[in-house]
Amino acid sequence: MFDLTSDTATQPTDEMFDLMKTASRGDDVFSQDDSVHELEAYMADLLGHEAALFGTSGTMTNQLGLRCWLLHPPQSVLCDSRAHVHVHECGGIAYHSQAAVYPVVPSNGSYLTKEDVEANISTDTLCGAPTKVISLENTLNGTIMPIEEIARISQLARSRGIKMHLDGARLFEASQATGVSMKEYGQHFDSVSVCLSKGAGAPIGSILISTKAVIQHARHLRKLMGGGWRQAGMLAKTAQHCIETIVPTMPRTHALTRRLADGLVDIGFKLLVPCHTNMIFIDFKPLTVATLAVPLWEQHKIKISNTPGASICRIVLHYQITAEAVDNFLVLATEIAAKNKIAKLNSDDSAICSRSSSVASSFTDLSAAYPSVQ
């Protein structure tokens, strides 16, 4: 089976289970596990920070990181209106941190700029919730935020005494695609969350990186939220193995993703945002997703997200997707398009597929394409 619903769908391998047997078996609630310590030190160094905390999920490490900065309500977080911390984390900022969220629509249709941020920082200390944290996301819907813009926003934030948090759930993807090191990304943020169960392919886990003091506070909060896990060494050992062996294969996955995106556009379907890394947002209109999803599963055991009645689909590739699966997808999509007399798009419509295009033609809210998938 080839599961293209998310890069969280990777299956643990026999090699991973064998590796788990070699892990230490201490109690991480009391910070007594060597394999966890090794992973945390590795990730802290990789991002250029002092310390790190191994957690169960990206949602947890995002919420822990933000909570550590949001100490004195009323305060607020400024973020992209499509940000995971705002749309897909169950209102966690309001629940855990008693903070407001100022969601901003990018003026360029793709990513937030310094000008977008500056125009939306709240300084109202009477009737408003002053901005305490700017939270960015890279990648966002698979698109890469330019490091130059991150640096501009970071400089602005620090000049205003505002903390910077990065939801780097797929930061490995951005780093592998651009050549920008994880450390270079990390230097612009006060806290960073990096998911290990997405493109990196680990079975479970996410990392929060920051200062020693913040991580000590986050560890206390993790226990408060019920996230203190006991013998987590086997998960940490596997996660570090995945970082070292699977992350370097991401360029191959990006190339396959690009091949699939270009092929679908050539057939006549519309790409909604640029294909920078391992995600494709495609509109199969006038067909529904089900028109392709059902035969893809029945004939090739290829699974894609299939929201009833929807024409927009998020497709996500990962290291366990093969070139043969992509070929089979395109052959079947070509047959279905011909049967339904789908016309090829003109050059203006298909130009958004260009890797060099970092800005979409218009802002697109894609949350309906994956309402329950991270």
Side-chain angles (χ1 to χ4, degrees):
M1 184 182 79
F2 300 97
D3 193 333
L4 278 69
T5 59
S6 177
D7 44 3
T8 60
T10 54
Q11 297 289 308
T13 64
D14 290 343
E15 183 183 11
M16 293 179 193
F17 282 108
D18 290 340
L19 191 66
M20 289 179 187
K21 298 176 185 177
T22 70
S24 55
R25 306 182 187 190
D27 189 337
D28 185 51
V29 169
F30 296 102
S31 193
Q32 294 174 346
D33 188 87
D34 291 338
S35 293
V36 173
H37 291 166
E38 184 179 354
L39 173 66
E40 290 172 342
Y42 178 90
M43 288 300 297
D45 181 67
L46 191 67
L47 272 294
H49 282 261
E50 291 180 343
L53 178 67
F54 189 32
T56 58
S57 69
T59 294
M60 171 171 278
T61 50
N62 271 330
Q63 292 300 319
L64 287 174
L66 292 168
R67 179 66 183 85
C68 284
W69 303 125
L70 298 163
L71 301 175
H72 304 292
Q75 294 174 325
S76 64
V77 176
L78 187 155
C79 64
D80 191 296
S81 63
R82 303 159 297 176
H84 196 276
V85 296
H86 171 49
V87 180
H88 296 293
E89 296 188 8
C90 307
I93 293 173
Y95 186 86
H96 296 298
S97 300
Q98 302 177 52
V101 177
Y102 285 130
V104 179
V105 175
S107 58
N108 62 21
S110 184
Y111 55 83
L112 291 179
T113 64
K114 174 190 173 184
E115 289 72 26
D116 292 331
V117 170
E118 192 165 20
N120 287 279
I121 289 175
S122 173
T123 58
D124 186 347
T125 57
L126 178 61
C127 299
T131 302
K132 177 64 177 179
V133 183
I134 296 168
S135 180
L136 304 181
E137 186 171 339
N138 196 20
T139 65
L140 196 163
N141 290 337
T143 62
I144 298 167
M145 187 172 190
I147 187 66
E148 297 80 8
E149 202 61 52
I150 291 172
R152 294 179 73 227
I153 294 172
S154 179
Q155 185 177 16
L156 169 67
R158 285 165 178 170
S159 72
R160 300 285 189 91
I162 297 171
K163 297 298 182 181
M164 289 282 290
H165 174 76
L166 175 63
D167 177 359
R170 294 180 174 89
L171 188 63
F172 282 123
E173 305 280 358
S175 179
Q176 288 292 314
T178 62
V180 176
S181 70
M182 298 287 280
K183 186 169 291 187
E184 186 173 353
Y185 280 121
Q187 70 178 332
H188 298 295
F189 295 91
D190 300 289
S191 56
V192 182
S193 170
V194 180
C195 193
L196 305 177
S197 66
K198 293 189 170 70
I204 298 172
S206 185
I207 289 279
L208 177 67
I209 301 102
S210 191
T211 64
K212 290 180 180 178
V214 167
I215 294 303
Q216 183 178 3
H217 186 197
R219 184 178 294 279
H220 194 189
L221 292 173
R222 186 187 69 170
K223 186 69 169 68
L224 168 69
M225 296 178 185
W229 42 9
R230 298 294 179 178
Q231 287 71 32
M234 59 184 176
L235 297 173
K237 186 85 171 181
T238 306
Q240 187 161 343
H241 164 77
C242 291
I243 295 166
E244 294 169 350
T245 61
I246 295 173
V247 168
T249 72
M250 285 179 174
R252 172 193 168 276
T253 299
H254 297 166
L256 270 183
T257 309
R258 174 68 179 199
R259 180 167 143 199
L260 179 56
D262 285 346
L264 292 173
V265 170
D266 287 343
I267 291 167
F269 300 117
K270 186 175 182 179
L271 199 63
L272 298 178
V273 295
C275 177
H276 289 172
T277 53
N278 67 323
M279 283 190 184
I280 301 168
F281 284 87
I282 196 84
D283 192 345
F284 291 120
K285 197 179 295 181
L287 307 179
T288 64
V289 176
T291 310
L292 281 86
V294 173
L296 277 171
W297 176 253
E298 291 178 345
Q299 297 182 34
H300 300 295
K301 290 296 181 286
I302 295 173
K303 182 180 180 182
I304 61 174
S305 297
N306 184 13
T307 304
S311 66
I312 295 174
C313 182
R314 184 185 81 157
I315 298 169
V316 188
L317 273 67
H318 49 77
Y319 83 102
Q320 291 178 336
I321 303 302
T322 66
E324 182 182 7
V326 169
D327 290 341
N328 288 337
F329 193 127
L330 289 173
V331 168
L332 185 59
T334 301
E335 293 172 356
I336 292 172
K339 182 179 178 181
N340 289 273
K341 300 180 180 179
I342 303 297
K344 290 189 177 183
L345 301 173
N346 63 43
S347 58
D348 290 337
D349 290 328
S350 62
I352 196 173
C353 193
S354 171
R355 171 179 285 274
S356 62
S357 173
S358 61
V359 180
S361 57
S362 62
F363 177 84
T364 305
D365 182 359
L366 299 167
S367 58
Y370 58 114
S372 61
V373 178
Q374 292 193 5

